[in-house]
Amino acid sequence: MSVCAIQRRLRQLSLLVPVLFGVSVADVSGQEATAEKVLFDGKTLDGWDGDPRFWRVEDGAIVGETTADNKAEQNTFLIYRGGEFGNFDMSFEYQVKGFNSGVQYRSEEIGEWSIGGYQCDFEDRWHSTDSGKVDKFSGMFFDEKGRMFMGQRGDAVVVRTNSENGKKPLIEKIGTVGDPVQLEKAIHRDGWNRCRVIANDFQFVHIINDRVMSIGIDEDTEHRKSSGLIAFQLHSGPPMQIRIRNLKVRELAND
């Protein structure tokens, strides 16, 4: 391993150690932050771009909604047009009813209101707990329209390049941040949740209601992204609604 690679891994471990051992998540970014930037003014969609059939502002929140009569034929996104972000600490509150959603970051536009890239998922409960199945999606480490499922809720993973199939990276689970069933208890299925996403170099932490849900280290140099767009997803399929409020970002200093 080269000196640069060793230094990079030490920086990664400086983030992982406090999180994996249960220290407060109040400051796990490990970087100096700039002043907080508000991305949603609570009144309008100024600075945002999405299909007007699905997005509006209501009661101080961004509302995205599909219905039986107003369906999304494919996943559709509300995109922030105020600039791209690389290293950052982002937080917002969300509610979701009916299906699956998520926040995109370091992402790219691949069609009209269509986005691909890193995603912190959040969704309504899909399975009854009586069935023995527990959803592991909220908080997972995902790559929309790319490498897809990289780390489920509870996982700490390293993602590496697969030279034989770029969309199926080599994933090593290096630890756990908790049992998915227990982490589920931190999610307010019928109320507001606070989501926090920290992107620091190529290490990522997803937090919901002050509980770390997943950690990803992306060493897939062929497909990882150092900066990109922020967006919110409405999933195609069953009718659903999401609400987003109090969306803020602090950009982190580069090394």
Side-chain angles (χ1 to χ4, degrees):
M1 183 180 290
S2 69
V3 173
C4 289
I6 292 172
Q7 290 174 336
R8 183 172 63 251
R9 180 49 61 90
L10 287 174
R11 288 198 301 271
Q12 293 164 348
L13 290 176
S14 72
L15 170 62
L16 286 174
V17 169
V19 174
L20 290 173
F21 285 89
V23 177
S24 168
V25 298
D27 183 14
V28 295
S29 63
Q31 295 278 20
E32 282 190 23
T34 63
E36 192 171 68
K37 183 175 183 178
V38 176
L39 300 192
F40 168 55
D41 63 16
K43 299 176 182 179
T44 70
L45 289 177
D46 289 353
W48 293 85
D49 178 24
D51 189 330
R53 294 178 299 163
F54 303 118
W55 301 97
R56 65 183 187 272
V57 174
E58 182 178 281
D59 298 329
I62 294 172
V63 178
E65 185 172 28
T66 63
T67 67
D69 296 324
N70 189 31
K71 298 179 180 180
E73 298 302 322
Q74 60 181 1
N75 294 355
T76 188
F77 297 82
L78 182 69
I79 306 164
Y80 181 68
R81 295 298 192 189
E84 297 189 354
F85 295 86
N87 290 350
F88 62 83
D89 185 343
M90 171 174 58
S91 66
F92 59 92
E93 294 175 293
Y94 75 86
Q95 286 184 334
V96 58
K97 297 178 182 179
F99 200 42
N100 177 266
S101 184
V103 60
Q104 298 291 139
Y105 60 95
R106 291 195 189 178
S107 292
E108 60 182 344
E109 195 165 7
I110 57 178
E112 187 176 33
W113 301 314
S114 182
I115 290 288
Y118 295 115
Q119 182 188 104
C120 175
D121 193 283
F122 50 85
E123 35 71 50
D124 201 354
R125 184 181 284 114
W126 288 7
H127 304 119
S128 167
T129 54
D130 295 335
S131 71
K133 294 182 178 181
V134 176
D135 291 320
K136 300 180 182 179
F137 299 142
S138 286
M140 73 176 175
F141 185 46
F142 188 75
D143 184 6
E144 174 78 7
K145 293 183 172 62
R147 296 165 293 173
M148 306 294 282
F149 297 89
M150 299 192 293
Q152 294 280 8
R153 184 172 71 231
D155 290 347
V157 299
V158 176
V159 180
R160 299 186 178 91
T161 303
N162 181 351
S163 58
E164 296 182 359
N165 187 341
K167 286 198 172 184
K168 293 188 179 295
L170 304 176
I171 299 172
E172 178 187 359
K173 184 176 177 179
I174 60 173
T176 178
V177 295
D179 177 76
V181 177
Q182 294 302 313
L183 291 173
E184 163 72 23
K185 296 177 181 179
I187 301 170
H188 309 315
R189 292 296 187 174
D190 297 318
W192 288 98
N193 295 272
R194 183 173 183 268
C195 182
R196 186 176 173 194
V197 176
I198 298 171
N200 182 3
D201 194 18
F202 292 101
Q203 55 200 15
F204 309 95
V205 182
H206 296 172
I207 303 164
I208 297 177
N209 296 331
D210 297 321
R211 292 296 302 271
V212 176
M213 296 289 170
S214 67
I215 294 174
I217 297 176
D218 196 351
E219 296 186 351
D220 182 358
T221 55
E222 291 188 15
H223 301 96
R224 67 188 187 181
K225 301 294 184 182
S226 59
S227 66
L229 298 167
I230 287 173
F232 288 95
Q233 178 196 68
L234 277 178
H235 210 290
S236 61
M240 64 168 297
Q241 183 191 93
I242 62 169
R243 290 178 177 265
I244 305 294
R245 68 184 186 187
N246 296 330
L247 175 57
K248 303 171 183 178
V249 174
R250 291 183 186 274
E251 294 189 79
L252 305 176
N254 294 320
D255 290 343

